[in-house]
Amino acid sequence: MSTATTLETPAAGRWSMLALLCLAVVLSFSCWFSANAIAPELKRVWSLSESAAAWLTNGVQIGFVIGALAASLFNLPDLIRMNRLMAASALLAALSNAALALEPGAAGAILCRMVTGFALAGVYPPALKLVSTWFISGRGLALAGVIGAITAGSSLPHLFRGMSSAVDWHNVVLSSSGATLVGAVVFLVFTREGPYPFGKALFDPRQIGRVLKDRNLLLVNGGYLGHMWELYAMWAWLLAYLTAALDKGGTGISSEASLLTFIAVASGVFGCFAGGVLSDRFGRTATTAGLMIVSGLCALTIGFVFDGPFWLLALVVIVWGISIIGDSAQFSAAVTELADRNYIGTALSLQMGMGFALTIFMIWLMPHLAALLGGWRWTFVLLAVGPIFGAASMLILRRRPEAVRLAGGRR
């Protein structure tokens, strides 16, 4: 059999492997927003301000940026078997997350969150790389599955919290840590690399200048930064917004707010798959711009439904949850299609580093803006700036001749 024919033959068991990998990713990422899901209680127990509580989320973001760049710089996925790397990383994330239950105080908790983010950087990029070793045809859908799993996992702490407002916050932490520990076992025992190795994608700081001078990549990164301006700030503070909307003047946390936050974030799973399908059919720039326009409109209108009715508020946040993440994987795909093969690894690492660095600023900014505006009602309007800028970047890219390299000619 010829090499070409072999490469076109779908790997046996690839869908079952994708299902196992996605299960492990869902479980592992349940500790990403574990502190965010119980933030109202932690603020009360540790006497934290809104801005101090923001660092419980930002700690994860900072740790993730450091971990992702370090893993890429030293090329850990090529030095350590990916399933072992992901298992060890998930184990570290479970332990650092569980340490919150020991009530280490604000400074200790932020340090624990940084370690959690650092550890999860050993799960996210390797999971994308591992699934690529199982798929040639259908790789876009498979990658969307992994991003969807990350989205679902990120929503789980809100489900744990929303199941009952009477559940002690320690149990929310321990539940997410337990889920992450199970994810580590699934990685180690049930997942393995496929028959189509994915080439090395090294981070080379010397290539950063070439990446920044590439106008096509500059536009793709403009789209990605617009996307990231909005995404994690919305995920991090939606519970605070909904708590303010549904518990007028209250100081507690309502099951309704937690469950609606879970539904809104988890609905992004459908957005991930829809984004993959739409991007392959109608093009990368059309899909990303379209989804950012929808999410931007949600950011602009959510303040108008702050006072209800509940069904309309729920509709807006669910549509927002679907559209805000649906374009995520397509920016990375666009980089692989437009960048020079010699610096794809640097381009991808730089894109991720810039994007998550921006989320740190936005997560920090939101509670300060809420305090300035006297409440959460109109705070999310600022988030619309990102998708407006991002959509414009992708539509400009659409007019460039190099855009024909996207999605097999589908701009």
Side-chain angles (χ1 to χ4, degrees):
M1 184 180 292
S2 69
T3 301
T5 303
T6 302
L7 290 178
E8 291 171 2
T9 303
R14 61 179 186 160
W15 293 109
S16 58
M17 185 56 60
L18 175 62
L20 286 167
L21 181 63
C22 286
L23 172 63
V25 169
V26 168
L27 295 170
S28 299
F29 269 77
S30 65
C31 63
W32 187 288
F33 281 118
S34 59
N36 179 265
I38 55 173
E41 288 149 308
L42 294 184
K43 285 191 298 182
R44 185 171 61 252
V45 172
W46 294 341
S47 301
L48 300 177
S49 64
E50 285 278 13
S51 58
W55 289 104
L56 293 175
T57 301
N58 263 341
V60 184
Q61 311 298 109
I62 294 169
F64 184 87
V65 171
I66 295 171
L69 291 178
S72 184
L73 183 63
F74 294 105
N75 204 30
L76 291 184
D78 282 326
L79 298 176
I80 306 172
R81 285 185 181 272
M82 283 186 280
N83 67 320
R84 294 177 183 176
L85 175 61
M86 291 187 292
S89 299
L91 174 61
L92 177 59
L95 294 175
S96 59
N97 186 66
L100 291 176
L102 300 177
E103 300 191 33
I110 292 170
L111 178 61
C112 288
R113 301 308 289 154
M114 290 181 67
V115 175
T116 300
F118 182 86
L120 289 175
V123 175
Y124 184 170
L128 294 174
K129 189 169 184 179
L130 187 143
V131 79
S132 296
T133 68
W134 284 93
F135 287 83
I136 293 180
S137 63
R139 182 176 287 176
L141 182 60
L143 292 175
V146 175
I147 299 297
I150 290 169
T151 303
S154 298
S155 72
L156 278 183
H158 294 293
L159 176 62
F160 297 150
R161 192 73 201 88
M163 289 172 66
S164 172
S165 58
V167 173
D168 184 79
W169 67 265
H170 295 81
N171 292 328
V172 177
V173 170
L174 295 176
S175 295
S176 58
S177 294
T180 302
L181 185 60
V182 174
V185 173
V186 175
F187 280 134
L188 183 63
V189 178
F190 296 105
T191 67
R192 65 185 189 279
E193 294 175 39
Y196 309 127
F198 198 58
K200 290 185 178 181
L202 295 171
F203 173 63
D204 184 354
R206 295 169 298 181
Q207 299 279 20
I208 291 177
R210 295 183 64 188
V211 174
L212 295 177
K213 291 177 182 177
D214 188 316
R215 292 188 177 182
N216 298 310
L217 295 183
L218 192 63
L219 290 168
V220 172
N221 287 334
Y224 181 69
L225 290 175
H227 160 75
M228 293 297 276
W229 170 281
E230 178 189 29
L231 176 62
Y232 277 89
M234 182 271 208
W235 276 2
W237 294 111
L238 181 60
L239 176 62
Y241 176 92
L242 292 176
T243 299
L246 300 177
D247 185 28
K248 306 293 190 301
T251 59
I253 180 170
S254 70
S255 295
E256 273 188 332
S258 290
L259 286 174
L260 185 52
T261 302
F262 162 72
I263 293 170
V265 177
S267 65
V269 174
F270 300 103
C272 290
F273 284 104
V277 172
L278 292 172
S279 185
D280 287 339
R281 182 168 182 178
F282 298 107
R284 304 263 187 258
T285 60
T287 298
T288 53
L291 287 171
M292 282 190 282
I293 289 170
V294 173
S295 64
L297 288 173
C298 290
L300 288 172
T301 59
I302 191 170
F304 293 98
V305 296
F306 182 85
D307 290 326
F310 177 80
W311 68 267
L312 187 55
L313 173 63
L315 178 63
V316 171
V317 298
I318 291 171
V319 171
W320 200 6
I322 292 171
S323 58
I324 200 171
I325 187 64
D327 51 354
S328 188
Q330 307 314 314
F331 297 108
S332 297
V335 166
T336 65
E337 292 162 338
L338 293 174
D340 186 302
R341 302 295 299 177
N342 294 322
Y343 53 79
I344 282 180
T346 303
L348 288 171
S349 298
L350 184 62
Q351 183 188 73
M352 182 177 291
M354 291 190 302
F356 276 88
L358 179 59
T359 68
I360 295 168
F361 170 71
M362 291 305 298
I363 290 170
W364 169 85
L365 178 62
M366 295 303 286
H368 290 280
L369 183 60
L372 182 65
L373 296 177
W376 282 97
R377 179 168 190 161
W378 301 110
T379 305
F380 283 158
V381 171
L382 177 66
L383 297 185
V385 173
I388 291 171
F389 176 82
S393 295
M394 297 308 287
L395 291 175
I396 293 171
L397 175 62
R398 183 177 180 82
R399 295 199 298 267
R400 292 179 64 84
E402 293 88 349
V404 297
R405 287 159 32 201
L406 296 168
R410 297 179 180 87
R411 296 169 182 260

